[in-house]
């Protein structure tokens, strides 16, 4: 729990999970199975902007989390420089969201892809990143969900019309995005291959 904040997580016990998954992948486990995986651009925003953490305006308030997540020293200042018009880093909450997105989601995903790519003869690995930003504001300080964790699922399942999905997407989600991502997932499930997708983050 101290390492990642989860109450329940896989544990290497030598039997059910004999070794760390990344080590198993390096040893060839899953080589014959095509893999599709991805992240959203701002995964960790869900866990900050929809909680009390969105009001943490001082970087020092995040120090305990930075230590628990083994974030390298100096990372905060580097990430603070990286905001853009499309992906703003709304004060400390935005910096923290970007930093923890990489630490907990994007980098581990890339490590799996890199490890599989080093295996001669391994089945294809497909990656995607969804950058569409949700306009939903789940707090009283005006900070939007953005391209947060799980916002890709209503598009992948093509369920954007459901009331539950609109809690993530808002009332006017772009239908072409749902059609494209759903097709990619369905094609992969049927064939092990995906059609190439291109789009904008807006």
């Amino acid at each position: 729990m101290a390492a990642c904040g989860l109450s329940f997580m896989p544990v290497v016990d030598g039997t059910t999970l004999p070794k760390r998954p990344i080590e198993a992948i390096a040893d060839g486990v899953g080589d014959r199975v095509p893999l599709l995986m991805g992240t959203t651009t701002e995964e960790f925003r869900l866990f900050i902007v929809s909680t009390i953490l969105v009001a943490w305006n001082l970087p020092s308030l995040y120090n305990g989390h930075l230590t628990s997540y083994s974030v390298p020293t100096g990372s905060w200042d580097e990430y603070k420089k990286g905001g853009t018009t499309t992906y703003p880093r709304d004060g400390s909450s935005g910096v923290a969201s970007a930093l923890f997105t990489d630490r907990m989601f994007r980098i581990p995903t890339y490590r799996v892809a890199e490890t599989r790519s080093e295996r001669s003869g391994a089945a294809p690995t497909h990656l995607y990143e969804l950058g569409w930003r949700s306009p939903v504001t789940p707090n009283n300080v005006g900070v939007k969900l953005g391209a947060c964790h799980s916002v890709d699922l209503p598009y992948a399942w093509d369920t954007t019309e459901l009331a539950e999905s609109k809690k993530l997407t808002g009332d006017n989600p772009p239908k072409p995005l749902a059609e494209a991502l759903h097709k990619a997932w369905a094609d992969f499930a049927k064939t092990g291959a995906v059609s190439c997708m291109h789009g904008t983050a807006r």
Side-chain angles (χ1 to χ4, degrees), residues 116-186:
R116 282 174 60 96
S117 73
E118 294 167 359
R119 301 276 313 161
S120 177
T125 300
H126 305 278
L127 292 176
Y128 74 89
E129 179 176 329
L130 187 133
W132 179 83
R133 303 194 83 236
S134 170
V136 173
T137 305
N139 51 66
N140 59 7
V141 292
V143 181
K144 298 176 181 178
L145 280 176
C148 71
H149 181 67
S150 296
V151 78
D152 52 338
L153 296 183
Y155 295 105
W157 297 118
D158 196 8
T159 59
T160 53
E161 74 283 358
L162 298 182
E164 289 300 309
S165 295
K166 291 178 190 271
K167 292 178 182 179
L168 276 173
T169 66
D171 292 331
N172 298 297
K175 187 63 176 176
L177 178 57
E179 293 170 350
L181 189 56
H182 179 70
K183 183 179 186 304
W185 276 39

Side-chain angles (χ1 to χ4, degrees), residues 16-136:
T16 303
L17 189 61
K19 61 179 69 174
R20 294 171 61 231
I22 196 68
E23 295 171 355
I25 292 168
D27 290 341
V29 173
D31 267 4
R32 294 182 296 173
V33 182
L35 179 63
L36 171 65
M37 57 183 177
T39 67
T40 61
T41 300
E42 303 171 296
E43 289 273 358
F44 213 83
R45 285 180 73 88
L46 179 66
F47 309 107
I48 290 183
V49 304
S50 61
T51 70
I52 191 63
L53 274 64
V54 73
W56 288 11
N57 293 322
L58 299 176
S60 59
L61 295 173
Y62 289 94
N63 285 343
H65 291 281
L66 296 173
T67 300
S68 294
Y69 285 81
S70 302
V71 173
T73 302
S75 295
W76 185 277
D77 291 337
E78 289 301 312
Y79 274 76
K80 188 175 180 180
K81 301 173 186 176
T84 66
T85 301
T86 303
Y87 301 106
R89 296 186 178 169
D90 313 294
S92 294
S93 67
V95 176
S97 294
L99 200 159
F100 292 131
T101 290
D102 279 357
R103 176 67 182 87
M104 300 303 297
F105 292 93
R106 184 175 290 108
I107 291 174
T109 299
Y110 287 0
R111 292 291 180 266
V112 170
E114 290 167 353
T115 301
R116 282 174 60 96
S117 73
E118 294 167 359
R119 301 276 313 161
S120 177
T125 300
H126 305 278
L127 292 176
Y128 74 89
E129 179 176 329
L130 187 133
W132 179 83
R133 303 194 83 236
S134 170
V136 173

